[in-house]
Amino acid sequence: GAVNSLRIHTGLTVDFRMVKPLKKPAASKDKSSIQTTSKRKNSTRKLQPPSRWKTDYTVIKRLRKLRNAPVDVVGCERLADPKASKTVFEWQCLVAALLSSQTRDQANAEAMAALQVHGNTVESIAKTAEAKLAKLIVKVGFPNVKAKNLKAAARICRENHGGRIPQTLEGLLALPGIGPKMAHLTMHAAFNRQQGICV
């Protein structure tokens, strides 16, 4: 028979009978398209939103009402200690973002908890052996690589930034193991500055 539902890894059951079949979208007559100018070709083109975004958004809202996702509770932007000093809080935001790559939110939260017990500060991490760090964060993906990057980032922050994390995208991107997604996430979580979208 037809498959009417799917149970995904979070335990949420998606019932496909709730979702109405999509009709082929009609050509958009919306005149409010955005005008953009390409600097390279100096030409103007119209950008339209995806044709089915309203339908998809409605389905997503309906499914999200059923249950919270792990990211709502243990997303990496929520793992820094809010009672810590500003400097330590910012560092922990960076650490949570660095560890989050290729890792489930729950596993990242467990690794962050282990680091908190150990001492999750720039000074503490800079002094800790890579092998010890790798054991503390063993639940995340690629713990050995991340332990190496974590220790190197701590040393750079200590020696080049007065014990703080860089406060610019360029500075964050210069740290080992930090790509654009993590840099944007850190800017928002640590400094409440939204300078891009984390994708």
Side-chain angles (χ1 to χ4, degrees), residues 170-191:
E170 295 75 18
L172 290 170
L173 288 167
L175 296 175
I178 299 296
K181 177 179 179 179
M182 294 172 219
H184 282 298
L185 184 56
T186 302
M187 287 297 293
H188 185 243
F191 306 114

Side-chain angles (χ1 to χ4, degrees), residues 41-188:
K41 300 180 181 177
N42 200 20
S43 61
T44 302
R45 61 186 174 134
K46 293 182 178 181
L47 295 179
Q48 298 287 343
S51 58
R52 299 181 185 178
W53 79 268
K54 288 183 181 177
T55 304
D56 293 342
Y57 185 61
T58 302
V59 172
I60 291 167
K61 277 175 49 174
R62 197 180 320 156
L63 293 174
R64 291 288 277 129
K65 280 183 182 178
L66 299 176
R67 183 172 177 176
N68 286 342
V71 71
D72 298 324
V73 181
V74 289
C76 68
E77 78 283 1
R78 301 173 188 270
L79 299 178
D81 181 0
K83 296 178 183 174
S85 69
K86 183 174 174 53
T87 299
V88 172
F89 177 81
E90 292 167 358
W91 165 254
Q92 291 179 1
C93 288
L94 176 71
V95 173
L98 189 152
L99 298 181
S100 69
S101 174
Q102 304 280 320
T103 301
R104 294 179 302 111
D105 292 310
Q106 300 95 318
N108 193 21
E110 289 182 49
M112 282 293 289
L115 285 176
Q116 304 291 46
V117 171
H118 169 75
N120 193 0
T121 65
V122 168
E123 196 62 35
S124 175
I125 299 300
K127 289 180 178 178
T128 305
E130 279 180 35
K132 171 82 184 244
L133 288 174
K135 285 183 182 177
L136 290 168
I137 63 171
V138 72
K139 302 254 174 145
V140 304
F142 307 101
N144 293 327
V145 173
K146 289 178 182 176
K148 181 179 180 180
N149 289 337
L150 190 56
K151 186 174 176 72
R155 284 182 170 171
I156 292 169
C157 290
R158 183 180 66 183
E159 294 164 14
N160 300 347
H161 300 280
R164 296 190 70 185
I165 68 170
Q167 299 179 48
T168 64
L169 274 176
E170 295 75 18
L172 290 170
L173 288 167
L175 296 175
I178 299 296
K181 177 179 179 179
M182 294 172 219
H184 282 298
L185 184 56
T186 302
M187 287 297 293
H188 185 243

Side-chain angles (χ1 to χ4, degrees), residues 16-24 52 55 59 62:
F16 295 112
R17 291 170 293 193
M18 294 171 49
V19 183
K20 293 181 181 177
L22 296 174
K23 295 180 181 178
K24 187 173 181 181
R52 299 181 185 178
T55 304
V59 172
R62 197 180 320 156

